[in-house]
Amino acid sequence: MMKKMSISTSKTSLVLLLCQIISALDVPLDSKLLEELSQPPTITQQSPKDYIVDPRENIVIQCEAKGKPPPSFSWTRNGTHFDIDKDAQVTMKPNSGTLVINIMNGGKAEAYEGVYQCTARNERGAAISNNIVVRPSRSPLWTKEKLEPNHVREGDSLVLHCRPPVGLPPPIIFWMDNAFQRLPQSERVSQGLNGDLYFSNVQPEDTREDYICYARFNHTQTIQQKQPISVKVFSTKPVTERQPVLLTPTGSTSTKVELRGNVLLLECIAAGLPTPVIRWIKEGGELPANRTFFENFKKTLKIIDVSEADSGNYKCIARNALGSVHHVISVTVKAAPYWITAPRNLVLSPGEDGTLICRANGNPKPSISWLANGVPIAIAPEDPSRKVDGDTIIFSHVQERSSAVYQCNASNEYGYLLANAFVNVLAEPPRILTPANKLYQVIADSPALLDCAYFGSPRPEIEWFKGVKGSILRGNEYVFHDNGTLEIPVAQKNNAGTYTCVARNELGKIQNEVQLEIKDPTMIIKQPEYKVIQRYGQVSFECIIKHDSTLLPTVTWLKDNDELPDDERFLVGKDNLTIMNVTDKDDGTYTCIVNTTLDSVSASAVLTVVAAPPTPAIIYARPNPPFDLELTGQLERSIDLSWLPGDENNSPITSFVIEFEDALHEPGVWRYQTEVPGSQTTAQLKLSPYVNYAFRVIAVNRIGRSQPSEPSEQYLTKSASPDENPANVQGIGSEPDNLVITWEPLKGFQSNGPGLQYKVSWRQKDVDDEWTSVIVANVSKYIVSGTPTFVPYEVKVQALNDLGYAPEPSEVIGHSGEDLPMVAPGNVQVHVINSTLAKVHWDPVPLKSVRGHLQGYKVYYWKVQSLSRRSRRHVEKKILTFRGNKTFGMLPGLEPYSSYKLNVRVVNGKGEGPASPDKVFKTPEGVPSSPSFLKITNPTLDSLTLEWGSPTHPNGVLTSYTLKFQPINNTHELGPLVEIRIPANESSLILKNLNYSTRYKFYFNAQTSVGSGSQITEEAVTIMDEAGILRPAVGAGKAMASRQVDIATQGWFIGLMCAVALLILILLIVCFIRRNKGGKYPVKEKEDAHADPEIQPMKEDDGTFGEYSDAEDHKPLKKGSRTPSDRTVKKEDSDDSLVDYGEGVNGQFNEDGSFIGQYSGKKEKEPAEGNESSEAPSPVNAMNSFV
């Protein structure tokens, strides 16, 4: 078997031993295998070291761990055992070590302040968490003080002190006025880092009595306010100018200590008139580029991500027209411990050796201490296989009892690092993880890769056989990979068959068989050819293929690398494409693509559409191929090629394309070499080492390309070391503890010689670490295991062959694998906008806890119950994804008057993090849906019975129902509208005092406190007499209803109508007489009270026209004269007449008095309120109103 070569810049025996141990045993990420193997505990999630909690909410101290068997958990508090069973306020989550301290039911957060540590333990060892310091946040009130007004002379400096209360964490300070507007700041007036407000010089406009300092405590979402400060500026003429004086810092020098990786903030604020300008320099050096920023009008120098190199003297210079002043700040950068090499888990076989290394740096240098299963190693149980040597533990000839979890603690005065790393000693017989009898299919002359994924402890040896009883496979025609894969670089038909993989170690042996089938390649044996076709002609391209009989090919045609036009002129046959009635837009390149499940081939041809040529026609064609190719001037890296051009066929040759074949690496494959102008018949060609060249030339004119010339003689160049390195080098982790390094392998002619290999190197970025390297061959990927989660790495890949190395490659930055986010978004807030829409806000999670590339946030929300029905239903969760670092989102499509829950999760490339606590919110009431049904039964001479069902979606608490109805006469016109309010608890109603043998139209809807819902309409007819009962016509739809009985032709009815007409005529005469006397009626009184009847056509309380009687009485509307004193009837005075229902007449209002436009007889008519005319009714109107 081939083995990887390990290369390291350090050649000490310890590093060589480490390289040997790390590569000794890898556990495959096979879920079934991982479930079966024993493993010591590993802490997977824990709360931050400095854990500030909200004293109003329950305290959740996280501790999650994995292991086999599953670990048990225990806690210490302030260094002693914490017995959670004795404290009723404290519980531990099932199958977890996470503590939940119940503060919301009577507990006090201050009582649980302290240092907590979690231990996860199983039979293989014990892992411990960091020391988690739990402190409740504090937002104390401002101490009361008596503030005297500040009387300042114009031009003098002034400092307004804030002195905020000491909170945990410290508050954010800002200055505002009484109107809650931020006070404007400038080079003259600005806020210092300590929160004080500095005036370099005061001006008369600075006089005000409401300088207010605010302290915002983000953790508890509270803001404290200092008493207003009064400033009064008095003027003296003239104003004296002053040279700069530093307000802060004082003196000429000061010191500042900052920690590595933090943000360095240096501040200089000066007084003076004119206002001084601040400038910063670093003595003896330059301010670091790309990390230096100036804030607060250059009064603050900000350097991010500081390191020890940023130590030194920083000088601020304040200058105005009268002079300058300076201050020197001596900065010292210290460092809390940081990892150089964190200890990594070690999986060993019995009898093997191994090493745990724990290296950290800091300023001052951190001390290293070891623990075993959470106990200082000095007092831990003895293990003869273990030897501690400073920052290294060396294991020799381990046994299964040597399994344990070791903790490395690196600490100095500025902090500590704690890392768990287990030593897991496994004795496992071989296992093959590749499925039995797996079938591999490859195309002939292509590589075949047969997998044999395995595991065992000690590491099994892998052997391959062909056939069940064949001999072991050896030789150069096979490549044996360390992961067990067998590679056949060039698979031929005779390589097909059954292959057996055997894995054996001292504990046993196992074998597995796989099948290999070799398929014939797909080929286009007759390719489409270049065509020149006259406009409106017909053209056909052929594409005849040959393929393996067991593969099903699919043929696709493209035009200019896009789908064929959707045009019936394009006819696709089995072996051809035909274009009928060709037009100019059909000009282009047509490609035939043949795909199978294993390979794909394509061929293209150009179609040129030309106009019908004149007589006699000149024939334009592609040029004839060049000939008589000759090679001269042979050198190692260049050669001269000459040729003779063929006939250009009436179109001048514009260029020659030169192609080459590498008979050594890619026989039969022609690649582009260069292109020269059509006037040139010689070219000097650049060559690569270790290539067996042959050349051919293609002539090009306006019509197209010629056929290739005959190949030149062959020329073999000498070998050399590679000239270039692999391209597209990337480092991307596929799992939380690995780094997958990939690259684009060199082509055969790029190898420059035999024995092409790759040197793969990597090291962790920003860590004082050395390069680790391996040399591999015939692969384009290498996996580095045991890396920290999502940290940057420097990666490079260098090519080499038997003659040497390529030039030093450039480095690329990659990242180890992502893991699921650790923290849920906090401070989730919901703002309900209306009954169907809500807005959710949340605080972004710290980027360090994302543990990967932040992709966005997901909001899960679901309806808990409807508040109107109080009945729960199946919970259907909905998910909305908000990309990027958004902190809010809209939730549409909510149901009114319902209770919802939601939570928010952060998403990275690995998946979703934990959910935030469920947030409950309720939507307000909305308008209901239409009643579920409306039935009209039991018709009599003068009554109908109505029954209805409550709305399917009440969307709130129903307050009442509204019933409106009106008669329909035999010309399908609508009569007066009557409205009735019905209590919400009713489900039926008997309407009495109706006209016999009359059709009525009913409009019915429900109301909540928000408003009325959509209505349902029905029609019904009262019966003609007791003997002939007419069944009611029930059904929603158009307001036009057909009469079931036409009584207009009955003699008795005609006589009755004549009598009624005479009576109405007498009534009209009486009405005219009364109107001439100028009497006022109730409607007239309302018009007098409201000058514009179109602006106020209704009563504000019930929305009815004129004087409308109580709805419970079902009485008709009272009529009132609206005729002016000059006895003329204006059009606007009749805005609620029955004429308004006719074609082309504007003026109709809905229930709330709003204009609803023109009525059309072809549409469903809305119920008309106030139908009765306010002017004297004519006999025609009266007859049309009668049913």
Side-chain angles (χ1 to χ4, degrees):
M1 293 173 58
M2 296 179 62
K3 293 186 177 179
K4 299 173 185 172
M5 297 176 59
S6 253
I7 297 177
S8 179
T9 55
S10 173
K11 301 196 177 187
T12 64
S13 59
L14 182 61
V15 174
L16 288 175
L17 176 61
L18 175 61
C19 294
Q20 178 185 352
I21 295 305
I22 289 178
S23 61
L25 190 61
D26 291 325
V27 179
L29 297 176
D30 183 89
S31 58
K32 183 177 180 182
L33 176 64
L34 293 176
E35 290 178 0
E36 298 175 357
L37 296 179
S38 297
Q39 179 178 307
T42 300
I43 300 290
T44 59
Q45 191 172 344
Q46 57 183 314
S47 292
K49 295 179 182 178
D50 190 9
Y51 189 22
I52 300 176
V53 299
D54 191 331
R56 303 166 298 181
E57 298 181 355
N58 292 341
I59 301 174
V60 179
I61 310 177
Q62 292 185 325
C63 180
E64 304 291 342
K66 65 180 181 180
K68 182 68 177 182
S72 59
F73 298 87
S74 61
W75 285 84
T76 62
R77 179 184 174 194
N78 298 328
T80 60
H81 176 66
F82 184 34
D83 191 350
I84 63 174
D85 295 330
K86 294 183 178 179
D87 192 332
Q89 302 293 339
V90 183
T91 58
M92 185 183 295
K93 290 185 177 181
N95 303 317
S96 165
T98 297
L99 293 182
V100 179
I101 303 174
N102 197 330
I103 301 301
M104 301 176 71
N105 283 344
K108 291 189 176 180
E110 293 78 6
Y112 294 94
E113 189 171 352
V115 181
Y116 294 78
Q117 189 173 44
C118 169
T119 301
R121 185 185 308 275
N122 68 9
E123 61 188 28
R124 290 252 161 181
I128 62 176
S129 71
N130 293 320
N131 286 326
I132 303 170
V133 180
V134 176
R135 296 182 294 169
S137 63
R138 299 180 179 89
S139 51
L141 298 174
W142 231 294
T143 56
K144 292 186 177 180
E145 55 182 325
K146 185 176 181 180
L147 301 176
E148 298 293 336
N150 292 274
H151 296 274
V152 194
R153 183 174 56 191
E154 182 181 356
D156 286 358
S157 62
L158 174 64
V159 180
L160 300 183
H161 297 289
C162 181
R163 300 190 183 98
V166 179
L168 184 67
I172 298 172
I173 305 301
F174 52 94
W175 289 80
M176 302 179 76
D177 58 17
N178 271 334
F180 297 101
Q181 299 297 316
R182 286 201 180 246
L183 295 175
Q185 299 191 20
S186 62
E187 290 184 342
R188 185 178 64 84
V189 183
S190 61
Q191 178 182 316
L193 295 176
N194 63 353
D196 292 348
L197 191 63
Y198 291 86
F199 296 77
S200 295
N201 52 79
V202 297
Q203 301 296 327
E205 61 264 25
D206 296 328
T207 298
R208 63 191 307 156
E209 297 181 350
D210 58 349
Y211 286 93
I212 306 174
C213 181
Y214 288 86
R216 183 174 68 213
F217 298 88
N218 281 347
H219 215 77
T220 55
Q221 295 296 306
T222 57
I223 296 178
Q224 305 290 355
Q225 172 186 337
K226 186 182 179 74
Q227 290 177 311
I229 301 175
S230 174
V231 173
K232 296 182 179 179
V233 180
F234 58 90
S235 299
T236 59
K237 301 296 183 180
V239 178
T240 305
E241 294 187 340
R242 298 174 177 83
Q243 67 180 17
V245 176
L246 286 176
L247 297 176
T248 183
T250 58
S252 60
T253 62
S254 60
T255 61
K256 172 81 172 182
V257 177
E258 191 55 79
L259 291 183
R260 179 181 185 269
N262 286 356
V263 176
L264 174 65
L265 294 174
L266 304 178
E267 180 180 59
C268 275
I269 301 178
L273 185 67
T275 303
V277 176
I278 305 295
R279 186 168 66 92
W280 291 89
I281 62 172
K282 182 180 182 182
E283 295 183 344
E286 297 291 334
L287 295 175
N290 303 324
R291 295 190 294 115
T292 301
F293 304 91
F294 297 100
E295 298 180 346
N296 199 15
F297 309 98
K298 293 192 176 181
K299 300 174 187 179
T300 302
L301 171 65
K302 176 180 178 181
I303 302 177
I304 63 174
D305 195 21
V306 295
S307 63
E308 289 85 344
D310 295 318
S311 297
N313 293 331
Y314 293 81
K315 179 187 286 188
C316 70
I317 303 168
R319 185 184 305 274
N320 68 6
L322 277 68
S324 65
V325 66
H326 71 268
H327 184 93
V328 177
I329 305 174
S330 179
V331 175
T332 303
V333 178
K334 298 290 186 178
Y338 56 92
W339 290 119
I340 297 176
T341 303
R344 299 175 181 175
N345 295 332
L346 202 57
V347 181
L348 300 173
S349 304
E352 285 188 330
D353 302 336
T355 304
L356 287 180
I357 296 179
C358 176
R359 290 179 181 166
N361 204 354
N363 187 9
K365 183 76 174 179
S367 60
I368 303 294
S369 60
W370 288 94
L371 298 88
N373 295 327
V375 178
I377 203 163
I379 60 174
E382 287 289 335
D383 184 351
S385 67
R386 178 183 68 213
K387 180 183 177 181
V388 181
D389 184 9
D391 61 4
T392 305
I393 302 180
I394 302 173
F395 297 92
S396 304
H397 201 70
V398 296
Q399 301 300 319
E400 284 197 71
R401 64 177 178 273
S402 301
S403 296
V405 183
Y406 291 87
Q407 291 82 33
C408 172
N409 186 305
S411 60
N412 64 13
E413 60 186 277
Y414 296 107
Y416 73 94
L417 294 173
L418 178 68
N420 291 274
F422 63 67
V423 176
N424 195 13
V425 183
L426 296 175
E428 295 287 336
R431 308 181 193 198
I432 294 180
L433 308 178
T434 300
N437 294 313
K438 185 174 181 180
L439 176 63
Y440 295 88
Q441 296 178 327
V442 297
I443 296 295
D445 298 326
S446 300
L449 296 171
L450 309 182
D451 293 332
C452 182
Y454 66 91
F455 177 75
S457 182
R459 180 191 294 273
E461 294 184 358
I462 303 298
E463 294 176 331
W464 280 92
F465 300 85
K466 185 174 182 184
V468 179
K469 297 182 179 180
S471 59
I472 187 170
L473 298 180
R474 305 180 189 278
N476 294 331
E477 61 178 311
Y478 302 105
V479 178
F480 302 94
H481 296 271
D482 286 352
N483 62 0
T485 297
L486 170 65
E487 179 181 355
I488 306 173
V490 182
Q492 304 293 334
K493 283 285 189 177
N494 58 0
N495 294 124
T498 301
Y499 287 79
T500 303
C501 165
V502 178
R504 58 163 58 89
N505 66 10
E506 60 190 42
L507 299 179
K509 180 182 80 169
I510 192 172
Q511 68 181 39
N512 185 43
E513 295 179 0
V514 296
Q515 308 295 325
L516 175 62
E517 293 181 357
I518 309 298
K519 305 292 185 181
D520 292 326
T522 304
M523 295 183 294
I524 300 177
I525 58 177
K526 189 167 185 180
Q527 300 183 359
E529 297 180 349
Y530 169 79
K531 302 279 185 175
V532 177
I533 190 70
Q534 294 182 15
R535 196 179 296 127
Y536 309 122
Q538 175 179 321
V539 67
S540 181
F541 293 105
E542 287 188 300
C543 184
I544 301 176
I545 63 173
K546 179 182 178 183
H547 61 90
D548 192 286
S549 59
T550 62
L551 299 178
L552 182 62
T554 59
V555 179
T556 305
W557 286 91
L558 302 179
K559 179 182 183 296
D560 297 329
N561 294 322
D562 204 352
E563 294 182 357
L564 290 177
D566 185 11
D567 192 330
E568 60 184 10
R569 297 182 300 108
F570 289 79
L571 306 177
V572 178
K574 178 181 178 183
D575 298 322
N576 58 61
L577 167 66
T578 302
I579 307 175
M580 311 290 291
N581 195 21
V582 174
T583 64
D584 289 338
K585 66 180 181 181
D586 298 330
D587 197 282
T589 301
Y590 290 83
T591 304
C592 166
I593 301 177
V594 184
N595 289 302
T596 69
T597 55
L598 298 181
D599 63 348
S600 176
V601 292
S602 64
S604 299
V606 174
L607 172 63
T608 301
V609 181
V610 297
T615 305
I618 300 176
I619 299 176
Y620 298 94
R622 294 179 293 172
N624 293 345
F627 59 95
D628 198 12
L629 275 63
E630 183 179 1
L631 297 177
T632 58
Q634 289 88 342
L635 299 174
E636 288 188 3
R637 292 296 182 105
S638 68
I639 197 169
D640 293 330
L641 173 66
S642 61
W643 62 91
L644 295 176
D647 193 338
E648 62 185 24
N649 292 329
N650 298 316
S651 180
I653 295 175
T654 57
S655 63
F656 292 99
V657 176
I658 302 173
E659 297 180 338
F660 74 93
E661 175 197 29
D662 180 5
L664 185 63
H665 300 102
E666 295 178 315
V669 177
W670 291 89
R671 297 189 178 276
Y672 175 84
Q673 172 81 18
T674 188
E675 187 170 354
V676 298
S679 59
Q680 186 174 325
T681 58
T682 62
Q684 187 178 56
L685 307 178
K686 294 182 179 179
L687 306 180
S688 296
Y690 196 54
V691 176
N692 192 9
Y693 280 99
F695 300 97
R696 68 183 188 184
V697 183
I698 301 171
V700 182
N701 66 6
R702 187 180 64 85
I703 305 302
R705 295 160 63 106
S706 72
Q707 292 294 321
S709 67
E710 291 295 325
S712 70
E713 60 180 309
Q714 292 186 343
Y715 176 63
L716 178 62
T717 56
K718 294 182 179 180
S719 301
S721 59
D723 294 326
E724 54 187 308
N725 288 302
N728 198 23
V729 178
Q730 293 182 316
I732 303 174
S734 61
E735 296 294 336
D737 60 350
N738 76 7
L739 172 68
V740 180
I741 303 173
T742 60
W743 60 92
E744 187 177 307
L746 298 181
K747 305 291 184 182
F749 66 88
Q750 296 174 307
S751 64
N752 286 8
L756 177 64
Q757 300 180 89
Y758 303 99
K759 178 183 176 183
V760 185
S761 305
W762 68 91
R763 68 179 178 185
Q764 190 171 335
K765 190 175 184 292
D766 300 328
V767 174
D768 187 13
D769 202 357
E770 298 172 342
W771 288 96
T772 302
S773 303
V774 297
I775 292 180
V776 296
N778 300 310
V779 296
S780 60
K781 178 175 71 174
Y782 183 78
I783 301 177
V784 181
S785 302
T787 64
T789 300
F790 196 65
V791 297
Y793 274 84
E794 295 175 307
V795 176
K796 58 184 180 180
V797 180
Q798 185 177 22
L800 67 151
N801 60 18
D802 292 347
L803 282 81
Y805 285 83
E808 183 67 22
S810 58
E811 302 166 6
V812 299
I813 304 299
H815 282 82
S816 55
E818 302 181 58
D819 205 346
L820 295 177
M822 300 171 58
V823 178
N827 190 28
V828 178
Q829 301 291 332
V830 180
H831 172 58
V832 178
I833 297 175
N834 56 40
S835 61
T836 61
L837 181 65
K839 186 175 185 181
V840 57
H841 295 260
W842 60 86
D843 288 345
V845 301
L847 289 179
K848 289 185 178 179
S849 68
V850 176
R851 301 201 294 180
H853 297 287
L854 175 64
Q855 293 190 354
Y857 292 85
K858 283 189 177 180
V859 177
Y860 287 72
Y861 64 102
W862 62 96
K863 179 179 175 181
V864 179
Q865 67 178 22
S866 171
L867 299 178
S868 59
R869 289 193 171 90
R870 297 294 180 184
S871 60
R872 298 181 179 270
R873 65 174 188 176
H874 173 68
V875 175
E876 179 183 354
K877 289 191 176 181
K878 298 181 180 179
I879 305 173
L880 285 179
T881 301
F882 301 94
R883 298 293 180 189
N885 199 18
K886 291 194 69 174
T887 58
F888 68 92
M890 307 298 290
L891 305 182
L894 304 178
E895 295 185 18
Y897 204 50
S898 300
S899 176
Y900 279 85
K901 285 186 178 181
L902 65 78
N903 58 53
V904 186
R905 314 174 191 207
V906 65
V907 183
N908 65 12
K910 187 71 175 178
E912 300 176 8
S916 65
D918 290 349
K919 190 78 175 180
V920 179
F921 66 96
K922 298 178 181 179
T923 53
E925 291 188 72
V927 297
S929 63
S930 61
S932 56
F933 66 89
L934 176 62
K935 294 195 302 184
I936 306 174
T937 59
N938 302 328
T940 66
L941 287 171
D942 62 349
S943 69
L944 292 170
T945 300
L946 279 69
E947 298 177 358
W948 60 86
S950 59
T952 307
H953 301 287
N955 295 337
V957 178
L958 295 182
T959 58
S960 64
Y961 293 99
T962 297
L963 172 66
K964 300 177 184 178
F965 63 95
Q966 55 193 152
I968 307 174
N969 65 12
N970 59 350
T971 59
H972 309 301
E973 293 185 349
L974 300 173
L977 183 72
V978 178
E979 178 179 331
I980 301 176
R981 291 273 183 171
I982 305 171
N985 59 354
E986 297 289 342
S987 61
S988 63
L989 177 69
I990 299 176
L991 288 177
K992 298 181 178 180
N993 300 324
L994 302 176
N995 296 331
Y996 71 92
S997 188
T998 302
R999 178 175 297 276
Y1000 287 88
K1001 183 164 187 177
F1002 298 88
Y1003 312 88
F1004 193 70
N1005 60 11
Q1007 288 88 28
T1008 64
S1009 60
V1010 176
S1012 299
S1014 55
Q1015 66 184 10
I1016 184 173
T1017 63
E1018 297 289 349
E1019 293 183 13
V1021 181
T1022 54
I1023 65 175
M1024 182 171 61
D1025 53 43
E1026 295 297 337
I1029 297 178
L1030 298 176
R1031 299 185 62 84
V1034 180
K1038 303 285 183 179
M1040 310 298 286
S1042 62
R1043 303 284 297 174
Q1044 294 188 3
V1045 177
D1046 188 2
I1047 61 176
T1049 59
Q1050 304 296 319
W1052 61 270
F1053 180 78
I1054 295 173
L1056 178 61
M1057 289 300 99
C1058 292
V1060 170
L1062 180 60
L1063 178 60
I1064 291 174
L1065 181 60
I1066 296 171
L1067 291 175
L1068 289 177
I1069 295 172
V1070 173
C1071 289
F1072 275 116
I1073 294 173
R1074 295 191 63 183
R1075 290 168 70 94
N1076 290 336
K1077 292 181 179 180
K1080 285 191 177 181
Y1081 292 87
V1083 176
K1084 178 65 177 176
E1085 294 171 1
K1086 288 206 174 279
E1087 290 179 347
D1088 293 341
H1090 304 285
D1092 188 350
E1094 291 197 7
I1095 295 178
Q1096 304 248 359
M1098 298 170 16
K1099 293 174 65 176
E1100 293 183 359
D1101 53 352
D1102 58 2
T1104 57
F1105 285 83
E1107 296 289 334
Y1108 185 74
S1109 64
D1110 185 28
E1112 298 297 329
D1113 297 334
H1114 315 308
K1115 294 179 180 179
L1117 298 175
K1118 296 179 181 179
K1119 299 180 182 178
S1121 172
R1122 304 177 77 177
T1123 306
S1125 58
D1126 61 358
R1127 300 188 183 186
T1128 62
V1129 180
K1130 297 182 181 179
K1131 182 177 180 180
E1132 59 267 29
D1133 288 340
S1134 185
D1135 60 0
D1136 65 343
S1137 169
L1138 281 176
V1139 178
D1140 291 342
Y1141 289 99
E1143 293 284 350
V1145 180
N1146 295 328
Q1148 186 180 162
F1149 294 81
N1150 65 11
E1151 293 179 59
D1152 59 359
S1154 60
F1155 189 70
I1156 63 173
Q1158 177 179 326
Y1159 174 81
S1160 171
K1162 297 181 180 179
K1163 297 183 179 179
E1164 175 75 9
K1165 186 189 298 180
E1166 292 293 330
E1169 297 191 8
N1171 287 313
E1172 298 199 26
S1173 174
S1174 59
E1175 63 186 23
S1178 68
V1180 175
N1181 284 341
M1183 290 299 295
N1184 286 339
S1185 301
F1186 186 82
V1187 180

